[in-house]
Amino acid sequence: MNKYKKLAFNTVVFAIGSFGSKILVLLLTRLYTKYLSPADSGVKELIEPTALFLQPIFTFALQEYLIRFGLDKNYDKRQVLTTSAVITTIGMLIMALIVPGLRFVKALDFLSGYSLLLIAYVTMSSFRMLCQQFVRARDMVKLFSLDGILATLTLFIFNLIFIAGLHMGVKGFMLAVILSDTLSAAFLFTMGKLKNYMGIRYFSGELAGTMMKFAGPLIPTIVMWTITSLSDRMFIREMKSDRVPLGEASVGIYGYANRVPNLISMVSTIFFQAWNMSAITENDSADRSTFYEKVYGAYEALLFIASAGLILLIKPVTAIFVNTSTYSEYGEVYRYTPVLVAAVLFMSLNQFLGSIYSATKHTKNSFWTAFIACSVNIVMNIALIPVWGIQGASVATFLSYFICFWARIIDARYYVPFKFNGIKCFANTVILLVMCVIAVFEPALWGLWLFILTGVICAWNYQALLITAKKLLHR
């Protein structure tokens, strides 16, 4: 199977396994907005990124090195899995000693009463990731996708039991995730026959060192991306303003405003799971640059078209996923989503460009570009949140991803040179931002203007999709 067809096949398989499950997760937002108050939702929205912050630190960027070395034919898969499992286990033990003390840090006092659950949350999520990434490394994409469906179903059921049924609030949410991840890890371990790849005799100290050298720059990179997300919520919670409402309830509203843009992230994640495998396996191919150019062009076009369409339909789409029957405060969520849609678009493009650093093993560059994003985000949060409140956090997030994108599109093409139309990308961005302003402020005939601008973006970008599609069909 040639590289284009394999990429398309894997994308379709991941889409089949992920689309329904991702939609189901988004629909859980209706459950949360019905049974969790804005304040409780604020705690939930702080705990989730905190877990994402801890995971790469104590797994030593497991999600990056396992897929990279697992797909590399020069390494024994038994050594890769066993060594990764040992590293992860040691990391989880260290984390269990440190996390209980975090609740005494003033900015992290929301962890009080949740420390043990957080340890279990991160631990089971990490072991599930271990199994997931190794299954992908063995090219078992169908099993990976099936697990995604089953894990989401169990997550949905456990949320119904603990939140809607037992009214356990944030603790119910955490228990649902822990149990779902536990069942998922057990399913993948059994069906993927991972026991055949594990044994202490397969542990390699030399490989562990190689993995750590590769993953070293990626740990702070992943952490900084998480800080970009967590800092928004922390600043909204802790900062004071006489002009706009802030605090824990505002954190909850901001968290749900991020849910609708996840529709774009969903498309991106499905594609990236397939693309990351292709980027690694095709790293040494003769026509690598052409491959990147065609795929990137279609990917960028798809993201702009999808983002414009989502902004056009932002109010009805938000109404589907956010329940305002119990807490009317959630009725304002849609006003903060358009800018976050634009932010997620550039986050997705950054993810694509980051795959170049992983495939070519220039992970230090991934670090410094992520550092730029993190720095911009923190500075902009401090400047904008006291003035614009939740919307300030949305704008800060967009600016951080946007600036990081331009740093990466310039830098990454030194390692994999491919053609990029910067003027077209910038013009697309301007149109999208105009749509954001229209969607937020709703001037006269705002719906008509959004429809016209969506048409402009579609007309301007569809050709890149057709070119790649024709190339795929021709092959």
Side-chain angles (χ1 to χ4, degrees), residues 69 75 79 83 203-213:
F69 289 88
Y75 295 94
Q79 289 189 346
T83 304
F203 174 78
S204 169
E206 181 182 355
L207 179 58
T210 303
M211 285 176 168
M212 292 300 96
K213 184 178 179 181

Side-chain angles (χ1 to χ4, degrees), residues 144-183:
F144 179 89
S145 296
L146 177 60
D147 169 70
I149 296 172
L150 296 178
T152 307
L153 286 173
T154 57
L155 179 64
F156 190 81
I157 291 169
F158 287 133
N159 269 287
L160 286 175
I161 293 171
F162 294 128
I163 295 180
L166 300 177
H167 301 285
M168 294 179 65
V170 177
K171 289 183 178 180
F173 159 75
M174 297 181 75
L175 280 172
V177 175
I178 293 166
L179 292 175
S180 177
D181 284 348
T182 301
L183 291 177

